[in-house]
Amino acid sequence: MIKKMICFLFSLMSMGYAANNSFAFQAGHQEVNVTVTNSYVSRYIWRGQDVYADNDAAYQPSVDISLPGFLRGTDVDFNVWGSFPLNKGHELADELDYTLSFSRDLSDLYNLSLGYTYYDYPKANKYSDIQEPWVSFTFNKIPYLPLDVSFNIFAGYDFAVSSGGPEEGWYYSWGLSTELPLPECSFTQNGQSLSLGITNWGQDGVAGLKPSSLYATEINLSTTYAVGQFSIAPKLSYTINYEEEINNGNEELYGGVDLSYAF
């Protein structure tokens, strides 16, 4: 019943407009932030892997509820994220991910996050579902660089929900990210920046893959244009694959867009 309700909610969202609606309110002394996001991508690339295998596009909405400082300075976040193919041939590929996470700034420079994600495939059999506890550590500013560059490491352990599902194992990544200010011209806005992220992925044989300490590198670019209360965030990504079993060794270039509205 819960799965049907969530699928119905996402269906209603897809019938409207592609938007990111964010608002906050107080529950007693607790601030609550709610964000509803609608995204479209030309390919569904997950951790360097083309999920639909034939470069098909996807609609990817999400609902995020965050409670800043809820547990003695620790932020608590609950997220529901979906991916729905826009082309035929992927009838069992609908996906709903549920994530509960806890994040805390250890200082002005360090952040530690712990979480649990349940990967649910409502139209597939019960053996397809996967669960993943994970940890992420971010160093917010690497010293002695002319730009503010952050460093992030991530590790998640995937295992099947039901016996007989995909093989268990680790995914891990390390990467850099920064914001590059854009010069003012006819195509940019005052204070606009370009977000740049580089992420390297490895795994130890999860889901039957050949173990590899580095099987893919993702390069992500994005920026945001504000138009009144609306904003448009185009995205461009490029994935380099180092293993033949990942996307047949092919490199992937794909794009997407988030359309946003702020109350």
Side-chain angles (χ1 to χ4, degrees):
M1 178 61 70
I2 294 177
K3 294 179 183 178
K4 291 182 178 180
M5 291 176 63
I6 294 175
C7 289
F8 179 67
L9 171 63
F10 283 162
S11 296
L12 290 178
M13 292 162 58
S14 66
M15 293 172 62
Y17 54 88
N20 176 307
N21 304 323
S22 179
F23 58 94
F25 62 92
Q26 294 289 131
H29 297 290
Q30 177 63 53
E31 178 183 352
V32 180
N33 298 314
V34 180
T35 303
V36 178
T37 304
N38 286 267
S39 299
Y40 295 88
V41 291
S42 61
R43 300 180 188 179
Y44 176 14
I45 306 295
W46 181 78
R47 298 179 180 176
Q49 304 170 58
D50 189 347
V51 175
Y52 298 151
D54 49 9
N55 305 326
D56 281 347
Y59 165 58
Q60 297 179 334
S62 69
V63 178
D64 188 86
I65 302 173
S66 63
L67 306 174
F70 181 71
L71 295 174
R72 297 184 178 182
T74 298
D75 299 339
V76 178
D77 186 272
F78 177 69
N79 176 270
V80 180
W81 179 92
S83 185
F84 305 94
L86 298 180
N87 301 88
K88 295 181 179 180
H90 311 287
E91 286 74 18
L92 301 180
D94 286 3
E95 178 181 346
L96 291 171
D97 300 346
Y98 314 93
T99 298
L100 177 65
S101 62
F102 304 85
S103 177
R104 186 181 183 91
D105 290 329
L106 304 179
S107 72
D108 291 338
L109 291 178
Y110 306 102
N111 177 275
L112 178 66
S113 298
L114 303 172
Y116 169 86
T117 300
Y118 186 106
Y119 298 90
D120 180 23
Y121 301 90
K123 294 184 178 180
N125 60 52
K126 65 178 182 179
Y127 302 107
S128 300
D129 291 357
I130 300 169
Q131 50 191 334
E132 178 187 77
W134 53 266
V135 59
S136 176
F137 177 80
T138 301
F139 181 48
N140 293 321
K141 185 177 181 180
I142 299 177
Y144 311 117
L145 294 179
L147 295 171
D148 289 344
V149 178
S150 63
F151 173 75
N152 174 268
I153 56 176
F154 166 91
Y157 189 78
D158 288 18
F159 57 99
V161 174
S162 302
S163 177
E167 295 181 22
E168 62 185 43
W170 289 94
Y171 278 105
Y172 48 88
S173 70
W174 63 102
L176 303 170
S177 62
T178 188
E179 296 285 335
L180 304 172
L182 294 174
E184 292 190 29
C185 66
S186 57
F187 300 103
T188 63
Q189 297 177 329
N190 183 34
Q192 188 175 357
S193 63
L194 180 69
S195 298
L196 169 64
I198 301 174
T199 305
N200 301 289
W201 284 101
Q203 45 78 27
D204 69 345
V206 61
L209 297 174
K210 178 183 176 181
S212 175
S213 59
L214 177 61
Y215 70 84
T217 297
E218 295 180 326
I219 303 173
N220 300 297
L221 294 171
S222 65
T223 190
T224 300
Y225 292 90
V227 183
Q229 290 179 285
F230 288 89
S231 64
I232 304 172
K235 302 176 290 186
L236 183 66
S237 299
Y238 184 70
T239 298
I240 305 170
N241 294 289
Y242 307 110
E243 300 289 339
E244 285 296 326
E245 64 179 326
I246 305 296
N247 307 335
N248 295 318
N250 296 324
E251 299 178 352
E252 302 281 355
L253 177 65
Y254 56 102
V257 63
D258 299 331
L259 302 180
S260 307
Y261 178 80
F263 291 98

Coordinates of all heavy atoms in Angstrom, one line a residue, residues 187-238:
F187 N 25.2 35.9 -21.3 CA 24.7 34.5 -21.0 C 24.8 34.2 -19.5 O 24.4 33.1 -19.1 CB 25.5 33.5 -21.8 CG 25.5 33.7 -23.3 CD1 26.6 34.2 -23.9 CD2 24.3 33.3 -24.0 CE1 26.5 34.4 -25.3 CE2 24.3 33.5 -25.4 CZ 25.4 34.0 -26.0
T188 N 25.2 35.1 -18.7 CA 25.3 34.8 -17.2 C 24.6 35.9 -16.4 O 24.3 36.9 -16.9 CB 26.8 34.7 -16.8 OG1 27.4 36.0 -17.0 CG2 27.6 33.6 -17.6
Q189 N 24.5 35.6 -15.1 CA 23.9 36.5 -14.2 C 24.9 36.9 -13.1 O 25.9 36.2 -12.9 CB 22.6 35.8 -13.6 CG 21.5 35.5 -14.6 CD 20.4 34.8 -13.9 OE1 20.5 34.1 -12.9 NE2 19.2 35.0 -14.5
N190 N 24.6 38.0 -12.4 CA 25.5 38.5 -11.4 C 25.6 37.4 -10.3 O 24.6 36.9 -9.7 CB 24.9 39.8 -10.8 CG 25.8 40.4 -9.8 OD1 27.1 40.3 -9.9 ND2 25.2 41.0 -8.7
G191 N 26.9 37.1 -10.0 CA 27.1 36.1 -8.9 C 27.0 34.7 -9.3 O 27.0 33.8 -8.5
Q192 N 26.7 34.4 -10.6 CA 26.5 33.0 -11.0 C 27.8 32.2 -11.0 O 28.9 32.8 -11.3 CB 25.9 33.0 -12.4 CG 25.4 31.6 -12.9 CD 24.7 31.7 -14.2 OE1 24.5 32.8 -14.8 NE2 24.4 30.5 -14.8
S193 N 27.7 30.9 -10.7 CA 28.9 30.1 -10.6 C 28.7 28.8 -11.4 O 27.5 28.4 -11.6 CB 29.3 29.8 -9.2 OG 28.3 29.1 -8.5
L194 N 29.7 28.1 -11.7 CA 29.7 26.8 -12.3 C 30.2 25.8 -11.3 O 31.3 25.8 -10.8 CB 30.6 26.8 -13.5 CG 30.6 25.5 -14.3 CD1 29.3 25.2 -15.0 CD2 31.8 25.5 -15.4
S195 N 29.3 24.8 -11.0 CA 29.7 23.7 -10.1 C 30.4 22.6 -10.8 O 29.9 22.1 -11.8 CB 28.5 23.1 -9.4 OG 27.8 24.1 -8.6
L196 N 31.6 22.2 -10.3 CA 32.4 21.2 -11.0 C 32.7 20.1 -9.9 O 33.1 20.4 -8.8 CB 33.7 21.8 -11.5 CG 34.8 20.8 -11.9 CD1 34.3 19.9 -13.1 CD2 36.1 21.5 -12.2
G197 N 32.4 18.9 -10.3 CA 32.6 17.7 -9.4 C 33.3 16.6 -10.2 O 32.9 16.3 -11.3
I198 N 34.3 15.9 -9.6 CA 34.9 14.8 -10.2 C 34.9 13.6 -9.2 O 35.3 13.8 -8.0 CB 36.4 15.1 -10.5 CG1 36.4 16.3 -11.5 CG2 37.1 13.9 -11.1 CD1 37.9 16.7 -11.9
T199 N 34.3 12.5 -9.5 CA 34.2 11.4 -8.6 C 34.7 10.1 -9.3 O 34.4 9.8 -10.4 CB 32.7 11.2 -8.3 OG1 32.1 12.4 -7.7 CG2 32.5 10.0 -7.2
N200 N 35.5 9.4 -8.5 CA 36.1 8.1 -9.0 C 35.4 7.0 -8.2 O 35.3 7.0 -7.0 CB 37.6 8.1 -8.7 CG 38.3 9.2 -9.4 OD1 38.5 9.2 -10.6 ND2 38.8 10.2 -8.6
W201 N 35.0 5.9 -9.0 CA 34.3 4.8 -8.4 C 35.0 3.5 -8.4 O 35.7 3.2 -9.4 CB 32.9 4.6 -9.1 CG 31.9 5.6 -8.7 CD1 31.5 6.7 -9.4 CD2 31.1 5.7 -7.5 NE1 30.6 7.5 -8.8 CE2 30.3 6.8 -7.6 CE3 31.1 4.8 -6.4 CZ2 29.4 7.2 -6.5 CZ3 30.2 5.2 -5.4 CH2 29.4 6.3 -5.5
G202 N 34.9 2.7 -7.3 CA 35.5 1.4 -7.3 C 34.5 0.5 -6.6 O 33.6 0.9 -5.9
Q203 N 34.8 -0.8 -6.7 CA 33.9 -1.8 -6.0 C 34.7 -3.2 -5.9 O 35.7 -3.3 -6.6 CB 32.6 -2.0 -6.7 CG 32.6 -2.1 -8.2 CD 33.1 -3.5 -8.7 OE1 32.9 -4.5 -8.0 NE2 33.7 -3.5 -9.9
D204 N 34.2 -4.0 -5.0 CA 35.0 -5.3 -4.7 C 34.3 -6.5 -5.2 O 34.5 -7.6 -4.7 CB 35.2 -5.4 -3.2 CG 34.0 -5.7 -2.4 OD1 32.9 -5.5 -3.0 OD2 34.1 -6.1 -1.3
G205 N 33.4 -6.3 -6.3 CA 32.8 -7.5 -6.9 C 31.3 -7.5 -6.6 O 30.7 -8.6 -6.7
V206 N 30.7 -6.4 -6.2 CA 29.3 -6.4 -5.8 C 28.5 -6.7 -7.1 O 28.8 -6.3 -8.2 CB 28.9 -5.0 -5.2 CG1 29.2 -3.9 -6.2 CG2 27.5 -5.0 -4.8
A207 N 27.3 -7.4 -6.9 CA 26.4 -7.7 -8.0 C 27.0 -8.4 -9.2 O 26.6 -8.2 -10.3 CB 25.7 -6.4 -8.4
G208 N 28.0 -9.2 -8.9 CA 28.6 -10.0 -9.9 C 29.6 -9.3 -10.8 O 30.1 -9.8 -11.8
L209 N 29.9 -8.0 -10.5 CA 30.9 -7.3 -11.3 C 32.3 -7.8 -10.9 O 32.6 -8.3 -9.9 CB 30.8 -5.8 -11.0 CG 29.5 -5.1 -11.3 CD1 29.5 -3.6 -10.8 CD2 29.3 -5.1 -12.8
K210 N 33.2 -7.6 -11.9 CA 34.6 -7.9 -11.7 C 35.2 -6.9 -10.7 O 35.0 -5.7 -10.9 CB 35.4 -7.8 -13.0 CG 36.8 -8.1 -12.9 CD 37.5 -8.0 -14.2 CE 39.0 -8.1 -14.1 NZ 39.7 -8.0 -15.4
P211 N 35.8 -7.3 -9.6 CA 36.4 -6.3 -8.6 C 37.3 -5.3 -9.3 O 38.1 -5.7 -10.2 CB 37.1 -7.2 -7.6 CG 36.5 -8.5 -7.7 CD 36.1 -8.7 -9.2
S212 N 37.2 -4.1 -9.0 CA 38.0 -3.0 -9.6 C 38.2 -1.9 -8.6 O 37.2 -1.4 -8.1 CB 37.4 -2.5 -10.9 OG 38.2 -1.5 -11.4
S213 N 39.4 -1.4 -8.3 CA 39.6 -0.3 -7.4 C 39.2 1.0 -8.1 O 39.0 2.0 -7.5 CB 41.1 -0.3 -7.0 OG 41.9 -0.2 -8.1
L214 N 39.2 1.0 -9.5 CA 38.8 2.2 -10.2 C 38.2 1.7 -11.5 O 38.9 1.4 -12.5 CB 40.0 3.1 -10.5 CG 39.7 4.4 -11.3 CD1 38.6 5.3 -10.7 CD2 40.9 5.1 -11.6
Y215 N 36.8 1.7 -11.6 CA 36.2 1.3 -12.8 C 35.5 2.4 -13.6 O 35.2 2.3 -14.8 CB 35.1 0.2 -12.5 CG 33.9 0.7 -11.8 CD1 32.8 1.2 -12.5 CD2 33.8 0.5 -10.4 CE1 31.7 1.7 -11.8 CE2 32.6 0.9 -9.7 CZ 31.6 1.5 -10.4 OH 30.5 1.9 -9.8
A216 N 35.3 3.6 -12.9 CA 34.7 4.7 -13.6 C 35.1 6.0 -13.0 O 35.3 6.1 -11.8 CB 33.2 4.6 -13.7
T217 N 35.2 7.1 -13.8 CA 35.3 8.5 -13.3 C 34.2 9.3 -13.9 O 34.0 9.3 -15.1 CB 36.7 9.1 -13.7 OG1 37.7 8.3 -13.1 CG2 36.8 10.5 -13.3
E218 N 33.5 10.0 -13.0 CA 32.4 10.9 -13.4 C 32.8 12.4 -13.3 O 33.4 12.8 -12.2 CB 31.2 10.7 -12.5 CG 30.6 9.3 -12.7 CD 29.3 9.1 -11.9 OE1 29.3 9.6 -10.7 OE2 28.4 8.4 -12.3
I219 N 32.6 13.1 -14.3 CA 32.8 14.6 -14.3 C 31.5 15.3 -14.5 O 30.8 15.1 -15.5 CB 33.8 15.0 -15.4 CG1 35.1 14.2 -15.3 CG2 34.1 16.5 -15.4 CD1 36.0 14.4 -16.4
N220 N 31.1 16.1 -13.5 CA 29.8 16.7 -13.5 C 29.9 18.3 -13.5 O 30.7 18.8 -12.7 CB 29.0 16.3 -12.3 CG 28.7 14.8 -12.3 OD1 28.1 14.2 -13.2 ND2 29.3 14.1 -11.2
L221 N 29.1 18.9 -14.4 CA 29.0 20.4 -14.4 C 27.6 20.8 -14.3 O 26.7 20.2 -14.9 CB 29.6 20.9 -15.8 CG 31.1 20.7 -16.1 CD1 31.4 21.0 -17.5 CD2 31.9 21.5 -15.1
S222 N 27.4 21.9 -13.6 CA 26.0 22.4 -13.5 C 26.1 23.9 -13.1 O 27.0 24.4 -12.5 CB 25.2 21.6 -12.4 OG 25.7 21.8 -11.1
T223 N 25.0 24.6 -13.4 CA 24.9 26.0 -13.0 C 23.4 26.3 -12.9 O 22.5 25.5 -13.2 CB 25.5 26.9 -14.0 OG1 25.6 28.3 -13.5 CG2 24.7 26.9 -15.4
T224 N 23.1 27.5 -12.3 CA 21.7 27.8 -12.1 C 21.4 29.2 -12.6 O 22.1 30.1 -12.3 CB 21.4 27.7 -10.5 OG1 21.6 26.4 -10.1 CG2 19.9 28.1 -10.3
Y225 N 20.3 29.3 -13.3 CA 19.8 30.6 -13.8 C 18.5 30.9 -13.0 O 17.6 30.1 -12.9 CB 19.4 30.6 -15.2 CG 20.6 30.4 -16.2 CD1 21.1 29.2 -16.5 CD2 21.3 31.6 -16.7 CE1 22.2 29.0 -17.4 CE2 22.4 31.4 -17.5 CZ 22.8 30.2 -17.8 OH 23.9 30.0 -18.7
A226 N 18.4 32.2 -12.5 CA 17.2 32.6 -11.7 C 16.4 33.5 -12.6 O 16.9 34.4 -13.2 CB 17.7 33.3 -10.4
V227 N 15.1 33.3 -12.6 CA 14.1 34.1 -13.4 C 13.0 34.4 -12.5 O 12.0 33.6 -12.4 CB 13.7 33.4 -14.7 CG1 12.7 34.3 -15.5 CG2 14.8 32.9 -15.5
G228 N 13.0 35.5 -11.8 CA 12.0 35.8 -10.8 C 12.1 34.7 -9.7 O 13.2 34.5 -9.1
Q229 N 11.0 34.1 -9.4 CA 11.0 33.0 -8.4 C 11.3 31.7 -8.9 O 11.4 30.7 -8.2 CB 9.6 33.0 -7.7 CG 9.3 34.2 -6.8 CD 7.9 34.0 -6.2 OE1 6.9 34.2 -6.8 NE2 7.9 33.7 -4.9
F230 N 11.5 31.6 -10.2 CA 11.9 30.4 -10.9 C 13.4 30.3 -11.1 O 14.1 31.3 -11.1 CB 11.3 30.3 -12.3 CG 9.8 30.0 -12.2 CD1 8.9 31.1 -12.2 CD2 9.3 28.7 -12.3 CE1 7.5 30.8 -12.1 CE2 7.9 28.5 -12.2 CZ 7.0 29.6 -12.2
S231 N 13.9 29.1 -11.2 CA 15.3 28.9 -11.5 C 15.4 27.7 -12.4 O 14.6 26.7 -12.3 CB 16.2 28.7 -10.3 OG 15.8 27.5 -9.6
I232 N 16.4 27.7 -13.3 CA 16.7 26.6 -14.2 C 18.1 26.1 -14.0 O 19.0 27.0 -14.1 CB 16.5 27.1 -15.7 CG1 15.1 27.6 -15.9 CG2 16.7 25.9 -16.7 CD1 14.8 28.2 -17.3
A233 N 18.3 24.9 -13.8 CA 19.6 24.3 -13.5 C 20.0 23.2 -14.5 O 19.6 22.1 -14.3 CB 19.7 23.8 -12.1
P234 N 20.6 23.6 -15.6 CA 21.1 22.6 -16.6 C 22.3 21.8 -16.0 O 23.1 22.4 -15.3 CB 21.4 23.4 -17.8 CG 21.8 24.8 -17.3 CD 20.9 25.0 -16.1
K235 N 22.4 20.6 -16.4 CA 23.5 19.7 -16.0 C 24.1 19.0 -17.1 O 23.4 18.6 -18.1 CB 23.0 18.7 -14.9 CG 22.4 19.3 -13.7 CD 21.8 18.3 -12.8 CE 20.6 17.6 -13.4 NZ 20.0 16.6 -12.4
L236 N 25.4 18.8 -17.1 CA 26.1 18.1 -18.1 C 27.1 17.1 -17.4 O 27.9 17.6 -16.5 CB 26.9 19.0 -19.1 CG 27.6 18.3 -20.3 CD1 26.6 17.7 -21.2 CD2 28.4 19.4 -21.0
S237 N 27.2 15.9 -17.8 CA 28.0 14.9 -17.2 C 28.8 14.0 -18.2 O 28.2 13.8 -19.3 CB 27.2 14.0 -16.3 OG 26.6 14.7 -15.2
Y238 N 29.9 13.6 -17.8 CA 30.8 12.8 -18.7 C 31.4 11.7 -17.8 O 32.0 11.9 -16.8 CB 31.9 13.6 -19.3 CG 32.7 12.8 -20.3 CD1 32.2 12.4 -21.6 CD2 34.0 12.5 -20.1 CE1 32.9 11.7 -22.5 CE2 34.8 11.8 -21.0 CZ 34.3 11.4 -22.2 OH 35.0 10.7 -23.1

